[in-house]
Amino acid sequence: MPHDDFPAGTVWLVGAGPGDPELLTRKAARLIATAEVIFYDALVGAGVLDLASSAAECVGVGKRSGRHSKDQATIDALIVAAARDGRRVVRLKGGDPAIFGRTAEEVAACTAAGVPVRICPGITAASAAVASAGTSLTLRGAARRLTFVTAHARAGEPLDLDWQALAAPDAMLAVYMGRSAAASIAQQLMAAGRAADTPVMVVVNASLPGERIIRGRLSSLAFLVDTISDHDPTLLFVGEAVRSSTAAAVLPRLQGHAMVRP
C-alpha cells in the first residue's frame, strides 16, 4: 500500500548508497519497493534493484566517465514524462543524491514542469569507504577540515581546484572519480605545500564484495592506482585521518587490503 508521501505522479530522487543494499535507509527501500518506474544510475548495486517490485519498470540511465548512456536533458525529460503519465517515479542515484549527483538539474526540471519532487538522502561512498577501513573522515587536532571534491573534468580541461586550501596540513580530502587524475592531484598538492609523506588511502568498490583498500603516501599516489581498472568506482583520501591507530588495528583483517610504502 503506497504511503501518503508517494502519490501517483510524484518523483523521488533516492540515494542508493555505496552499493551494499544493507546500507540503504529504510525510507529508500520503501520508495524503491513502491515505485512503478525506476531510472537508475550505473553505480547502483544489483542487490538494490532486487528490492524493486516485479511490476516496476527499471530503466538504466547511468553515466560513467567517457560512457554516457543518456545525456542529462534526456534523463530530465524521461523523469518528467513518466510522472506526467501518473506513475510513481524513483530516480535512483548511487551514494547520496546531493553529492555530485546532478540533483539540482533534475529538481529544476520537475519543478518547471509542475511535477512534485522530493529527495531521500543516502550514505555517500566516502562514508562507506572509511567505515570499511576502520578509520574516520576527521581526526581531532590533526584533520579538522573535510572537503569533498570531484576529479571529473571536461575533456582537455585541467582540474580547477583551490590547491592551496586543499594542501593545508589539517585538511582531509576525499576525491570522487579520482583514479585517472591521481598523478595530477598528487603533483598539485605537493606543489602547493602538502608534504610528500602525507598518508593516502585508495578505496575501490566501497562496501561491495570486491572492495579493495590500498594505503601509501602522497608521493606514491599515481603508483597506488596503477592497477585499478577505470571501470571500478574509486575514491582517493588524503590526510592524517587515514593514519589513525584505529585503522592500523582493523585493516589487517580486511580482504583486499594492501599497504604500500615505496
Side-chain angles (χ1 to χ4, degrees):
M1 177 69 66
H3 287 226
D4 291 342
D5 62 355
F6 204 177
T10 297
V11 173
W12 273 94
L13 309 184
V14 176
D20 180 353
E22 291 190 329
L23 292 178
L24 282 170
T25 66
R26 292 176 62 184
K27 188 181 191 76
R30 171 174 64 81
L31 293 169
I32 292 167
T34 304
E36 294 168 309
V37 58
I38 298 173
F39 298 103
Y40 64 93
D41 277 349
L43 295 181
V44 171
V48 175
L49 288 173
D50 288 344
L51 299 174
S53 165
S54 60
E57 179 185 3
C58 295
V59 181
V61 294
K63 299 190 291 295
R64 299 288 287 272
S65 179
R67 303 183 303 281
H68 290 196
S69 65
K70 306 283 186 190
D71 61 34
Q72 189 60 50
T74 299
I75 295 171
D76 295 345
L78 287 170
I79 293 169
V80 167
R84 282 180 163 171
D85 283 344
R87 304 169 81 184
R88 294 178 176 87
V89 180
V90 159
R91 173 67 172 102
L92 195 56
K93 295 172 171 287
D96 184 281
I99 299 179
F100 308 126
R102 304 293 289 271
T103 293
E105 292 97 322
E106 292 170 9
V107 168
C110 290
T111 301
V115 171
V117 58
R118 299 180 68 181
I119 300 171
C120 176
I123 293 176
T124 190
S127 295
V130 296
S132 291
T135 186
S136 174
L137 286 168
T138 58
L139 185 64
R140 184 172 60 180
R144 295 176 289 189
R145 286 188 274 173
L146 171 62
T147 304
F148 290 171
V149 301
T150 174
H152 180 62
R154 292 180 179 177
E157 293 185 1
L159 289 178
D160 185 17
L161 301 173
D162 186 348
W163 297 107
Q164 290 295 327
L166 297 177
D170 66 344
M172 182 68 188
L173 180 61
V175 185
Y176 289 68
M177 297 173 278
R179 187 200 63 80
S180 61
S184 175
I185 290 166
Q187 291 167 2
Q188 295 280 10
L189 288 173
M190 289 187 292
R194 198 86 197 232
D197 63 353
T198 299
V200 299
M201 183 172 74
V202 180
V203 181
V204 185
N205 291 311
S207 85
L208 297 173
E211 178 181 80
R212 294 170 61 197
I213 299 172
I214 307 166
R215 290 175 171 275
R217 49 189 285 165
L218 182 59
S219 60
S220 67
L221 185 56
F223 169 76
L224 298 181
V225 304
D226 194 45
T227 62
I228 299 170
S229 165
D230 60 1
H231 299 286
D232 292 328
T234 302
L235 291 105
L236 314 178
F237 298 90
V238 180
E240 292 298 325
V242 298
R243 189 172 11 216
S244 70
S245 58
T246 301
V250 173
L251 277 170
R253 300 198 298 271
L254 292 172
Q255 292 184 347
H257 167 251
M259 178 74 77
V260 181
R261 297 183 185 277

